[in-house]
C-alpha cells in the first residue's frame, strides 16, 4: 500500500472537470485508489465518491493506492495531482 498527502491548490477545489479526469486516470489501474479528506473517503474510480467530499482550495487530502500495480498508479496519480489540482 502506498499513500501520499496533497494540499489542493486549484482555486475552485476539486470540481467536476478535474474530478472526471482523476476518475479517468484511476480507471487505468487495477489497484484500489481512494481519496480521503477529514476522515471520509471516496473511490477515485467513481466521480460521485470524489465530489461528495467537497474538497476546497487549501484542503489536505490523502490518496491511498493498494493493489498489484500500485507503483505505476502511484507515479501517475501523484503526478496528476501536482499538475491538475
Amino acid at each position: 500500500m502506498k499513500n501520499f498527502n496533497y494540499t489542493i491548490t486549484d482555486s475552485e477545489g476539486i470540481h467536476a472537470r478535474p474530478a472526471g479526469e482523476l476518475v479517468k486516470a484511476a480507471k487505468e489501474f487495477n489497484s484500489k485508489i481512494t481519496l480521503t479528506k477529514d476522515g471520509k473517503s471516496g473511490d477515485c474510480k467513481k466521480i460521485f465518491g470524489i465530489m461528495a467530499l467537497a474538497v476546497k482550495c487549501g484542503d489536505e487530502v490523502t490518496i491511498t493506492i493498494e493493489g498489484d500495480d500500485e507503483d505505476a498508479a502511484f507515479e501517475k496519480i501523484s503526478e496528476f495531482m501536482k499538475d491538475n489540482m
Side-chain angles (χ1 to χ4, degrees):
M1 177 170 63
K2 293 182 171 271
N3 61 44
F4 66 94
N5 294 329
Y6 183 77
T7 301
I8 303 302
T9 58
D10 187 310
S11 62
E12 296 180 24
I14 300 180
H15 52 93
R17 184 194 51 78
E21 291 177 10
L22 177 57
V23 168
K24 185 177 176 182
K27 283 186 174 183
E28 294 178 19
F29 301 98
N30 292 325
S31 293
K32 180 179 180 183
I33 304 171
T34 56
L35 182 117
T36 305
K37 178 192 145 222
D38 298 334
K40 295 181 181 177
S41 295
D43 184 343
C44 286
K45 295 181 182 179
K46 298 180 181 177
I47 194 165
F48 292 114
I50 297 168
M51 297 297 295
L53 298 175
V55 180
K56 307 279 188 242
C57 182
D59 287 347
E60 183 176 70
V61 297
T62 301
I63 302 284
T64 304
I65 304 167
E66 185 172 11
D68 58 343
D69 56 358
E70 66 187 29
D71 292 329
F74 178 85
E75 292 299 319
K76 171 112 183 194
I77 301 300
S78 61
E79 197 62 38
F80 174 86
M81 294 298 286
K82 292 174 191 168
D83 292 344
N84 298 287
M85 308 248 183

